[in-house]
Amino acid sequence: DFGNAEVIKMAHKYDPEGKRTLGVVTKCDDASRAEVCDVVDKALMRRQSDVRLKLGFHCVVNRSQKNIEEGLARQDLWEKEQRIFEASEKLRGLPKENWGTLRLMEKIARIQEGRVDECLPKIKEAVRAKLGELRDQLRALPAQVETEADQHRLFNAVLHQVLQDLQRRVRAEFVSSTPGDEELTIAPRVASMVQEFRKRLHDGNPEWLGNEMLSEVNATVQKFMHGYTVDNLIGPQVFISLIKRV
């Protein structure tokens, strides 16, 4: 029953287009001795109900257990196989190209040759693309450091890159879509810390910007900074000193 054969189901699953599936019917000597035998019709796919494969079916005779125990040589088996197919009335309807182990091997060789001819250009193109990819990866690798001077230059270059990266983060010039990079920003974090400090400072000194503090700021400017800069462009040191004093 070809239709219920597990191997046919697997062939449909793994080779749905049927390009690689050749059906091989074994134990045809048993079929030749059966009272009713339609193996020729099935192998030639004559009926609408027969299982159909693009590469068709091929019939062979296997070595029996007795043949194995007797050590029957392959050549003797092939001669026995030929006699069965040529003598059996039930198998005689099979064309020669559809039976015999030797012709099966020749058929498989032709099929494999065709598959190689079809797939080889694709394989060559895939290999060429992979070689190009690997060459690009090799070119992208850093130069090999051999001398101590090269090691110092490489170390300084890495430090310079780190410094540039930190400066970009401080200036809020760092933008990234990589998850987790937002934890490595500096400018937003500093701004958040300043706002937090401002709130703590105000909570601890509610009168920080009151008249008393403004008078003290003005007195400090007059005593220590007047004449050095414009009054409305006072440097941070005045406020730092006041904060420390408070």
Side-chain angles (χ1 to χ4, degrees):
D1 188 354
F2 289 11
N4 290 325
E6 188 65 28
V7 67
I8 296 294
K9 297 176 182 178
M10 293 176 64
H12 287 318
K13 179 179 179 180
Y14 295 105
D15 183 28
E17 297 181 6
K19 292 182 178 181
R20 298 178 288 115
T21 303
L22 170 65
V24 178
V25 184
T26 61
K27 301 181 180 179
C28 288
D29 49 336
D30 291 342
S32 67
R33 293 191 292 268
E35 293 185 7
V36 178
C37 176
D38 61 348
V39 67
V40 173
D41 291 329
K42 289 181 176 179
L44 298 179
M45 303 175 291
R46 287 173 172 169
R47 299 164 298 191
Q48 190 67 30
S49 59
D50 291 329
V51 174
R52 298 185 178 278
L53 298 176
K54 287 185 179 181
L55 298 180
F57 290 89
H58 194 94
C59 297
V60 296
V61 173
N62 299 79
R63 286 194 302 173
S64 65
Q65 186 61 40
K66 181 181 178 182
N67 296 150
I68 296 173
E69 292 172 355
E70 293 175 351
L72 183 67
R74 290 185 299 174
Q75 186 63 43
D76 294 335
L77 172 65
W78 296 338
E79 292 175 359
K80 172 187 174 183
E81 180 183 51
Q82 181 176 348
R83 289 194 298 271
I84 291 174
F85 279 105
E86 290 178 347
S88 172
E89 294 183 3
K90 296 175 181 177
L91 300 178
R92 199 177 298 165
L94 275 173
K96 280 191 174 183
E97 61 267 19
N98 285 87
W99 62 263
T101 302
L102 284 175
R103 280 185 283 271
L104 174 61
M105 291 189 291
E106 294 171 358
K107 186 179 293 187
I108 292 174
R110 288 195 301 271
I111 293 172
Q112 289 179 329
E113 181 182 4
R115 290 292 295 166
V116 169
D117 290 342
E118 178 185 350
C119 297
L120 192 58
K122 300 176 183 178
I123 295 173
K124 290 173 64 176
E125 178 59 26
V127 171
R128 186 198 64 78
K130 188 62 178 180
L131 285 174
E133 179 185 338
L134 293 175
R135 289 193 190 99
D136 292 340
Q137 292 178 4
L138 285 174
R139 294 191 190 100
L141 291 175
Q144 185 174 359
V145 180
E146 297 179 353
T147 66
E148 187 174 345
D150 289 337
Q151 294 173 0
H152 283 297
R153 278 193 291 269
L154 179 60
F155 181 69
N156 289 333
V158 172
L159 286 180
H160 182 66
Q161 290 178 354
V162 172
L163 177 61
Q164 285 184 321
D165 183 67
L166 285 174
Q167 290 174 341
R168 287 174 55 237
R169 294 171 191 268
V170 169
R171 295 192 298 264
E173 297 173 356
F174 174 79
V175 178
S176 173
S177 58
T178 303
D181 273 357
E182 63 271 11
E183 301 294 333
L184 302 177
T185 56
I186 294 178
R189 179 59 178 159
V190 171
S192 174
M193 293 171 66
V194 169
Q195 293 299 320
E196 182 182 351
F197 176 72
R198 177 178 178 275
K199 183 178 181 304
R200 288 168 52 198
L201 188 64
H202 184 269
D203 292 344
N205 301 273
E207 301 299 326
W208 171 253
L209 298 179
N211 292 331
E212 183 179 347
M213 180 55 68
L214 293 176
S215 298
E216 187 171 351
V217 171
N218 184 58
T220 302
V221 171
Q222 294 298 324
K223 289 178 182 179
F224 301 103
M225 303 192 63
H226 185 66
Y228 176 75
T229 182
V230 181
D231 290 347
N232 61 351
L233 293 178
I234 301 171
Q237 192 58 43
V238 174
F239 296 97
I240 294 174
S241 300
L242 289 171
I243 291 170
K244 289 180 178 179
R245 203 182 311 168
V246 172

